[in-house]
Amino acid sequence: LAGIPLHLGRRGDLSEYQGARDRQFYIFPGSGLFKASPPWIVAFSLVETLKLYGRTVAAIEPEWLEQVAPHLCRPAYSDIVWSPEQGFVFARESVSCGGLTIITGRRVHYGRIKPDVAREVFIREALVPGNLRSRGDWLKSHLAMIETIRTWERKIRRPESLLDPQAIFDHFNRLVPADVCSTRDFDRWTQQHDPALAMAIDDAMYPSTTPLVPSDYPDQLMFRGHAYELRYRFAPGHSDDGIVLHCPERLLPALPTWAADWLVPGWLPEKVRALIRSLPKDVRAVCNPLQAIVDDFLQTQHSMPLTQVLAAFLNARFHIAVRPADFDVERLPEHLIMKIAVLDSHGKLLRLIRETPASAPEATQVEPSSAWMPTGLYQTRLTTWPPQSLPEHIVLEKSVRGYPALVDEGKTVGVRLFLDAQLAGEHHIAGLLRLFRIQHHALVANLERRIPLPVPVQLSLSVLGGENQSALEDFVDLVIEEALLPVTADVRRRPGDELADHSHLLLASVATNQRDYPRDAATFHQRVEAARTSLHTLAAERGAILAKIMAERDAFIHKLTELRKARATAASAGSVLAEMLTDIDHQLAFLFRPGFLRAEELWRRYPHYFKALAVRVERLKLDPFKDHTKWEAIRPFQELLDAKLAALPGRPLPPALLRFATLLQEFRVSQFAPEVGTLEKVSPKILQALWANVLDLWRTSLAPTGLAEAS
């Protein structure tokens, strides 16, 4: 081998051998190694007859060539990488001889071969990202600086946009000596010379014309005196993409329902722009220039849902009728919806929810013995206005606000303090109605005796009431509320609202968020005097519309009765038809459930539902099987709703569940009568998202005792 190294050969796929300088030969048949065909051989001679044969051959190991013919061996290096475990730059070495690779992928210390290249790799892959096991104190501060910049990149949702690796490389390249290319060399140098390795955070970032304001991207938010930690994540397509607010389960009821709406100052402009762009085209066209509108809106204060505040802002600025429901929230990018991570007492994730649950009453009502309860505010068993006026809110401590409100105690009223403004408003309305009934019992009794409804309608309503209050009492409360709490905002008629006579007035009357509630004795008495004169007029207007709806109900029930009498005689068709008629009965029972008069959707949507039901019945006569196929898409959601309704006998529907039920009715319209059209966007995906929110609310605060675990 030492004398004729280029007579080596490497066995091929068959019996041929690949020799040096791209020659191919075979072992001579008379050789003792002819049948053995070792992987590598050397031949004493190469003789060409019919083929080129190697004669007098011997098996060799290719590594021997490095020892006997180093001058003929040519190394090549690849995969030059930094190894933090070994603390040096290594490469994969391949050695060839005569054009044949004799060694492949041998791991070698590259700093001993090309120290200048190894040094560059060491700086770029070890020092710049802090990916080494060094004993120096500088490494902690260096890693903290990098993590701070990476955190800012997640907060502004621009990965790799702030950290400048080349700037960090240039910093270390100026400092590190030419002979340092491993952790061992680096630690020895730093111990001997103690260089100033730390760099300013601004020097490690790309230059930017827009300054980064850290306060626009806080690490926590304060609500009602509690700090909630925020985590930012850039993970498009994942459920926790965006901002996640970490909330211990015990503090969930204290979280305002609007808390997640407003994100953080740095993200809010993008969300506001997206919401305005989601408006109907005719409304969106008015909202220009968009950026100027967003800048002005960001100056507003907020303690309500974002869509509600933004709608009021656009109404006031452009004198247009924008409702919170006009914003297509479903079109928002995932990262613009703040998620809430509910944690147990040990900080372990229990569930991730997409909307702030409504606060539980028992959790948001301040106890009389609490240090937060102002002296003299708590009152009970009153039959007149409390001795003091009730401000909209009072400051309890720091950013914690309390909301005083009248409450209905049955035969008397009282004053309570709540931590949730929406809940306080609901109780205050109930307290105002009860106080009106107490002080003007004769007037209310006269209205109840001479209620402006036809006798058949009154009879129908009397059987539709619940255990605690009849539908007629609900009607009287509705009239009192409208008379006592007039709407102050200009509510204009919009296309699609002409569902019944005076619908624009009814829409205005149910916009309770636009009402001005009395909060002192003088205002209350002034409102009472005005209500006394308008009570019967409003009752007549309401009664006319309700009578029309009840007449539509009775006429539709008559159609159902006729259809049952004339249903198909075929056994299969008759069975399917009976099942679908049962579903319609079930829908009517829900629409006219106990307490249905207190639901806003009655005045906006019921005439619309009856149009869709009439279309469904006509098609049902022709093809029950097709109707059944459409119903199959509805059934899973209906079964979910029915299960929750069964657990709430005689109780008002929680807002989230009522919202789901309302969208389910719209889904029925889209399935059975698409030509009638839906009043808002609905799809199985939207219903599924709403249902997830219902479950989160149910588990946290709305389920009766013992039912949360069962659900």
Side-chain angles (χ1 to χ4, degrees):
L1 183 62
I4 45 176
L6 295 183
H7 279 200
L8 81 161
R10 181 184 63 200
R11 188 180 63 202
D13 295 335
L14 300 175
S15 58
E16 83 283 1
Y17 280 81
Q18 186 68 35
R21 297 170 182 167
D22 204 24
R23 291 182 299 185
Q24 191 178 77
F25 65 92
Y26 298 84
I27 297 178
F28 185 70
S31 171
L33 293 181
F34 178 74
K35 292 185 178 180
S37 297
W40 288 85
I41 62 171
V42 63
F44 182 76
S45 63
L46 296 173
V47 179
E48 185 171 7
T49 56
L50 294 177
K51 296 180 181 180
L52 183 62
Y53 287 106
R55 303 173 67 93
T56 313
V57 299
I60 64 169
E61 296 295 333
E63 293 83 359
W64 295 347
L65 285 162
E66 277 194 301
Q67 302 172 23
V68 301
H71 58 290
L72 298 178
C73 294
R74 299 288 182 268
Y77 301 95
S78 63
D79 298 335
I80 302 169
V81 294
W82 162 252
S83 172
E85 292 80 14
Q86 277 72 40
F88 61 81
V89 177
F90 74 86
R92 295 293 178 183
E93 183 183 49
S94 297
V95 180
S96 62
C97 181
L100 296 178
T101 302
I102 60 175
I103 297 174
T104 303
R106 180 168 59 189
R107 197 166 182 264
V108 295
H109 191 325
Y110 201 58
R112 297 171 182 169
I113 300 166
K114 289 191 175 181
D116 56 334
V117 177
R119 175 182 176 274
E120 181 178 349
V121 174
F122 170 70
I123 295 175
R124 199 172 296 279
E125 296 187 11
L127 298 182
V128 171
N131 184 25
L132 74 164
R133 298 178 178 178
S134 173
R135 296 189 297 269
D137 296 335
W138 69 276
L139 186 57
K140 268 186 191 177
S141 61
H142 182 70
L143 290 174
M145 178 193 71
I146 293 175
E147 179 56 28
T148 298
I149 299 175
R150 293 300 188 197
T151 299
W152 287 348
E153 289 177 343
R154 290 193 294 271
K155 289 181 176 182
I156 66 174
R157 292 189 68 78
R158 295 206 306 270
E160 310 299 332
S161 65
L162 298 179
L163 184 68
D164 186 356
Q166 186 60 43
I168 303 177
F169 174 85
D170 294 341
H171 169 76
F172 284 111
N173 192 35
R174 288 191 299 269
L175 297 175
V176 176
D179 59 344
V180 173
C181 60
S182 67
T183 302
R184 184 177 179 181
D185 297 339
F186 183 79
D187 284 345
R188 185 187 301 117
W189 170 67
T190 54
Q191 289 172 5
Q192 292 174 355
H193 298 86
D194 192 22
L197 296 175
M199 63 185 303
I201 191 168
D202 291 340
D203 296 337
M205 298 169 62
Y206 290 114
S208 175
T209 56
T210 305
L212 181 67
V213 182
S215 60
D216 286 346
Y217 308 92
D219 293 322
Q220 64 180 21
L221 293 176
M222 294 289 295
F223 295 109
R224 293 172 178 160
H226 301 290
Y228 297 85
E229 184 180 359
L230 300 180
R231 294 292 174 88
Y232 299 78
R233 189 182 181 205
F234 181 80
H238 289 73
S239 60
D240 58 347
D241 181 32
I243 302 177
V244 178
L245 183 146
H246 287 221
C247 177
E249 190 173 30
R250 64 180 179 83
L251 295 181
L252 192 59
L255 197 63
T257 54
W258 46 264
D261 284 4
W262 296 81
L263 299 176
V264 295
W267 289 31
L268 184 57
E270 182 184 358
K271 184 170 184 178
V272 174
R273 284 194 296 269
L275 285 172
I276 294 176
R277 290 191 180 113
S278 74
L279 288 169
K281 185 176 181 180
D282 58 332
V283 179
R284 187 173 67 245
V286 179
C287 301
N288 282 304
L290 181 58
Q291 189 56 49
I293 295 170
V294 173
D295 293 340
D296 290 346
F297 174 75
L298 296 179
Q299 307 303 317
T300 61
Q301 300 296 319
H302 59 80
S303 59
M304 292 187 297
L306 173 60
T307 53
Q308 186 175 328
V309 179
L310 182 56
F313 174 83
L314 296 177
N315 290 340
R317 178 156 182 160
F318 297 105
H319 305 289
I320 55 177
V322 179
R323 296 171 298 187
D326 293 337
F327 298 102
D328 190 355
V329 181
E330 297 298 325
R331 289 176 54 186
L332 288 177
E334 184 67 27
H335 70 276
L336 294 181
I337 301 174
M338 181 185 286
K339 277 67 105 177
I340 300 172
V342 184
L343 312 176
D344 64 11
S345 57
H346 302 290
K348 182 180 178 182
L349 178 66
L350 295 177
R351 59 191 175 276
L352 192 70
I353 57 180
R354 292 169 52 87
E355 188 173 341
T356 311
S359 302
E362 60 273 14
T364 59
Q365 182 173 324
V366 178
E367 295 296 325
S369 58
S370 171
W372 279 353
M373 179 65 73
T375 304
L377 179 65
Y378 179 84
Q379 301 285 333
T380 187
R381 297 181 182 179
L382 299 175
T383 56
T384 60
W385 189 268
Q388 74 276 43
S389 61
L390 303 177
E392 290 188 4
H393 70 269
I394 56 178
V395 178
L396 303 179
E397 63 172 55
K398 295 182 180 179
S399 60
V400 183
R401 286 185 173 186
Y403 302 90
L406 282 180
V407 295
D408 181 5
E409 295 178 338
K411 296 182 179 180
T412 59
V413 297
V415 179
R416 303 289 186 271
L417 184 63
F418 297 88
L419 296 179
D420 183 86
Q422 181 178 354
L423 185 65
E426 294 171 1
H427 277 284
H428 195 62
I429 292 174
L432 291 171
L433 297 182
R434 176 57 61 188
L435 189 56
F436 184 91
R437 281 179 171 272
I438 293 171
Q439 295 188 350
H440 298 278
H441 175 73
L443 178 63
V444 175
N446 181 56
L447 176 61
E448 291 175 340
R449 285 194 304 270
R450 303 172 57 186
I451 197 162
L453 289 171
V455 174
V457 174
Q458 293 190 41
L459 292 175
S460 297
L461 291 175
S462 64
V463 299
L464 291 175
E467 296 180 2
N468 300 324
Q469 185 164 325
S470 70
L472 289 173
E473 290 178 291
D474 288 339
F475 176 80
V476 173
D477 276 348
L478 200 64
V479 173
I480 295 174
E481 182 176 345
E482 184 177 0
L484 193 61
L485 308 173
V487 176
T488 56
D490 178 20
V491 180
R492 301 167 186 249
R493 184 187 293 266
R494 291 171 50 87
D497 284 342
E498 292 81 359
L499 303 177
D501 294 338
H502 311 294
S503 62
H504 62 293
L505 296 176
L506 297 174
L507 283 170
S509 66
V510 297
T512 55
N513 60 317
Q514 299 180 15
R515 289 179 175 170
D516 184 17
Y517 307 131
R519 293 197 165 272
D520 57 77
T523 305
F524 176 72
H525 292 315
Q526 181 183 359
R527 295 287 183 80
V528 167
E529 292 303 316
R532 292 177 60 185
T533 61
S534 63
L535 196 62
H536 286 279
T537 302
L538 289 172
E541 293 178 358
R542 288 280 191 173
I545 299 171
L546 181 57
K548 182 178 178 180
I549 291 176
M550 296 301 293
E552 290 182 355
R553 172 181 177 271
D554 293 341
F556 181 74
I557 291 176
H558 180 69
K559 286 183 180 180
L560 287 183
T561 304
E562 291 180 345
L563 181 57
R564 284 190 172 91
K565 293 178 181 178
R567 69 186 183 186
T569 56
S572 58
S575 175
V576 173
L577 180 60
E579 186 178 4
M580 294 300 93
L581 290 174
T582 301
D583 174 62
I584 293 175
D585 290 338
H586 188 66
Q587 182 183 4
L588 288 175
F590 171 76
L591 293 177
F592 293 91
R593 65 195 179 279
F596 76 96
L597 282 172
R598 289 171 289 178
E600 175 185 346
E601 76 271 14
L602 168 70
W603 309 105
R604 293 188 55 205
R605 303 173 186 256
Y606 276 29
H608 189 68
Y609 296 159
F610 279 121
K611 289 179 184 178
L613 280 168
V615 173
R616 180 186 181 186
V617 168
E618 292 303 317
R619 289 176 176 161
L620 185 59
K621 296 176 184 178
L622 302 175
D623 192 347
F625 295 101
K626 189 173 182 179
D627 188 271
H628 188 275
T629 301
K630 296 177 180 179
W631 178 70
E632 286 295 336
I634 298 169
R635 181 167 63 176
F637 300 108
Q638 186 65 53
E639 290 175 349
L640 292 173
L641 176 62
D642 292 343
K644 284 292 177 281
L645 293 176
L648 293 168
R651 292 179 57 188
L653 268 63
L657 191 59
L658 179 59
R659 174 67 178 154
F660 176 82
T662 302
L663 262 291
L664 182 55
Q665 301 306 313
E666 293 296 329
F667 189 50
R668 284 177 170 272
V669 174
S670 69
Q671 289 293 107
F672 295 119
E675 66 270 32
V676 174
T678 58
L679 297 180
E680 56 184 307
K681 185 178 179 181
V682 65
S683 67
K685 183 178 179 181
I686 293 174
L687 287 172
Q688 289 166 0
L690 276 175
W691 185 252
N693 184 43
V694 169
L695 289 182
D696 289 325
L697 288 169
W698 187 270
R699 293 189 186 103
T700 54
S701 63
L702 296 176
T705 304
L707 287 177
E709 294 78 6
S711 66

